[in-house]
Amino acid sequence: MICKGILKLIDSNSGKTILEQHNRFVTSGLAKVAEILNGESTEVPSHIAVGTSNAALADSQTALQGSELSRQAFFSHTRTGNSIELISKFPAGVGSGVWEEAGIFNAASGGTMFSRALLGTYTKKELDSIEIHWTYKFIDDGVD
């Protein structure tokens, strides 16, 4: 089985998708998933953070690589079949600046990073209201 993650930046006012990008699951996040499934942890993903680094994605990363501009709790999480969509809102005045990266975490600060994505360069202006829709889809890859 494999899990693919895709995130979308959506303008909250128009509903228009600004960008769509794949993510990379990091080693710390995969270990936390194993802990959750084994009953060793209840620290599930709960927040999406945005930051300023365009450093390449790597398995060993445990945090955003640049300055964290904002971290917002999920306001919605919906499972449909073998997918779950996690949504955080970044309203006007929150997280303004140049977004280069995003990550999913299990805490309001610190915590375990499950996955990270590069956003290209998106400049969130003070009046912009953005939603990040991050979907994890679990797929049978046919390997035993």
Side-chain angles (χ1 to χ4, degrees):
M1 179 181 334
I2 58 174
C3 182
K4 292 187 175 185
I6 297 174
L7 69 89
K8 293 180 183 180
L9 261 59
I10 298 176
D11 181 294
S12 298
N13 297 319
S14 70
K16 178 183 172 188
T17 298
I18 298 167
L19 68 85
E20 186 172 324
Q21 199 62 265
H22 291 277
N23 77 180
R24 180 176 194 138
F25 287 89
V26 294
T27 303
S28 61
L30 294 173
K32 185 58 74 176
V33 169
E35 290 174 10
I36 292 166
L37 292 174
N38 197 43
E40 299 169 54
S41 176
T42 58
E43 299 170 345
V44 298
S46 58
H47 290 74
I48 297 176
V50 293
T52 62
S53 177
N54 64 2
L57 302 172
D59 292 338
S60 62
Q61 293 167 342
T62 59
L64 295 182
Q65 300 301 288
S67 297
E68 188 173 302
L69 297 172
S70 182
R71 186 181 295 206
Q72 298 296 311
F74 301 152
F75 84 88
S76 172
H77 48 86
T78 306
R79 186 182 70 83
T80 305
N82 60 342
S83 297
I84 185 164
E85 182 180 40
L86 312 165
I87 303 173
S88 290
K89 290 183 180 182
F90 295 80
V94 174
S96 299
V98 178
W99 292 8
E100 296 280 356
E101 62 183 331
I104 289 190
F105 293 86
N106 64 355
S109 65
T112 300
M113 182 168 72
F114 285 74
S115 54
R116 180 174 172 256
L118 295 177
L119 304 176
T121 298
Y122 171 71
T123 301
K124 183 183 183 294
K125 298 174 185 148
E126 273 297 308
L127 298 179
D128 291 345
S129 181
I130 302 298
E131 293 179 6
I132 296 181
H133 293 231
W134 205 313
T135 302
Y136 285 160
K137 185 171 187 175
F138 299 89
I139 302 163
D140 181 359
D141 63 355
V143 177
D144 293 333

